[in-house]
Amino acid sequence: MKRIIVPIDFSSYSDFALLSALKIAQKANSSITCVNVVSSLLDWNSLSNEQKAKNIEILDLEAEAKDKLKAFVLEHKLHTVPVETIVEIGVPQHVILEVAQKHKADLIVIGAYGAGYQEGKFIGSTIQHVLRNADCPVMAVKKILSGNDLRKMVFASMFNEDSRPAFTKMKAVLKDFHTSVHFLFVNTPSHFVNSDIAESRMDAYAKGFEDLVIHKHVYCHTEPENGIVEFAKTRKIGFIGIASGNRKGMSTYQVGVTDTVLYKSDIAVLSIKIE
């Protein structure tokens, strides 16, 4: 893993994201790009220099953000991790994805909430958009990840083939973390599957991933989201992995559960979209 993108809005959650990214970068020998976005609906990059010069307020905000972002980064112990800073102008959720694509990011580490967060509020539209649309894995955090947190992940899925490419993308990150993976099939009354069938699905899914340490579990609960969180807490799992995105007529694990699990727990969520 070479490049980690960390969106920074100067909230406590972006601080958690940077500190977590530094821990990951040390472990994976990666560099970090911190990006702050000055919010604007203008298509800034398509404007001429003359047109940009007329937007004094935005230019002032950009200059202020550059100084503030550099100071923010320097407040942290970087432990020899290469960290660069970028300030862009535009719609934050779009700019974050554009920066990740431009820099060929291997991972985005993002705070679960942003500036202006209120207690009890559901996760915001920016992180939801990033979770659903990033081409690389996204790690969403509510607290600082430790080295121990990176050692164990539960991957919750129905283990159908359409999510397999997403898990394959996730694998590169897991290899760098040296993570042991716990496959989790949550059985609910409304979508009950015989345990033997669930286990056979996990066995088939694990083929080709023999270079990962994989444990398999079938867990019964009334709701998939609460079942995932309960299992992770009971087993002291460091982070939760979910393939999210395209429904394709399959389980709710692929749409909505990512956001809900992140909302219901302080455990970090590693997500990758299903193409």
Side-chain angles (χ1 to χ4, degrees):
M1 183 165 57
K2 295 180 179 179
R3 176 74 60 174
I4 301 171
I5 303 296
V6 184
I8 301 292
D9 65 359
F10 309 113
S11 67
S12 59
Y13 286 97
S14 61
D15 193 50
F16 299 158
L18 178 55
L19 289 168
S20 298
L22 287 168
K23 181 65 67 175
I24 291 168
Q26 284 179 272
K27 201 172 184 70
N29 195 28
S30 307
S31 61
I32 293 174
T33 297
C34 291
V35 56
N36 174 260
V37 184
V38 176
S39 185
S40 173
L41 294 177
L42 291 172
D43 186 1
W44 188 257
N45 291 331
S46 69
L47 297 182
S48 67
N49 289 335
E50 184 180 355
Q51 290 171 317
K52 288 178 180 179
K54 294 177 181 178
N55 292 277
I56 302 298
E57 184 179 356
I58 290 179
L59 291 172
D60 287 345
L61 288 172
E62 180 186 30
E64 181 184 352
K66 286 180 178 179
D67 291 340
K68 193 173 180 180
L69 184 56
K70 287 179 182 177
F72 179 87
V73 169
L74 290 174
E75 288 172 0
H76 297 80
K77 293 181 180 179
L78 304 183
H79 302 288
T80 72
V81 175
V83 179
E84 68 171 339
T85 59
I86 296 175
V87 173
E88 297 284 356
I89 298 167
V91 179
Q93 60 194 40
H94 298 149
V95 171
I96 291 167
L97 295 178
E98 288 166 4
V99 170
Q101 187 174 45
K102 180 180 177 180
H103 289 264
K104 298 180 180 179
D106 299 292
L107 178 69
I108 298 171
V109 180
I110 186 170
Y113 297 104
Y117 164 69
Q118 296 177 349
E119 189 70 31
K121 182 182 176 183
F122 196 71
I123 65 172
S125 58
T126 296
I127 188 172
Q128 289 183 64
H129 185 86
V130 171
L131 285 168
R132 281 171 166 73
N133 294 287
D135 290 326
C136 65
V138 179
M139 180 76 84
V141 301
K142 281 187 174 179
K143 60 182 183 180
I144 303 166
L145 284 171
S146 69
N148 284 335
D149 289 330
L150 298 174
R151 292 177 181 174
K152 292 171 67 176
M153 180 194 78
V154 56
F155 179 70
S157 176
M158 295 302 288
F159 299 98
N160 296 301
E161 282 301 306
D162 65 332
S163 68
R164 190 178 179 86
F167 184 74
T168 300
K169 283 187 178 181
M170 196 180 285
K171 173 187 166 182
V173 174
L174 302 177
K175 290 280 287 181
D176 281 334
F177 292 174
H178 304 289
T179 303
S180 63
V181 181
H182 293 255
F183 278 1
L184 178 65
F185 190 107
V186 178
N187 245 336
T188 63
S190 58
H191 294 91
F192 187 81
V193 176
N194 181 280
S195 292
D196 290 339
I197 294 175
E199 289 172 5
S200 67
R201 282 190 194 175
M202 287 188 283
D203 287 339
Y205 200 95
K207 289 181 179 177
F209 299 119
E210 287 81 7
D211 50 344
L212 293 174
V213 177
I214 296 176
H215 310 274
K216 307 177 190 76
H217 312 268
V218 178
Y219 194 74
C220 294
H221 203 281
T222 55
E223 297 176 350
E225 299 93 342
N226 287 332
I228 294 166
V229 172
E230 184 178 281
F231 177 88
K233 287 182 176 178
T234 301
R235 298 298 181 104
K236 294 182 169 37
I237 298 293
F239 63 103
I240 297 167
I242 302 175
S244 52
N246 197 332
R247 180 180 287 274
K248 293 185 181 178
M250 304 305 291
S251 164
T252 55
Y253 280 124
Q254 296 169 12
V255 175
V257 168
T258 306
D259 310 336
T260 306
V261 167
L262 182 59
Y263 172 68
K264 290 190 172 188
S265 172
D266 286 339
I267 301 171
V269 173
L270 180 67
S271 174
I272 181 68
K273 71 175 181 179
I274 296 171
E275 299 293 346

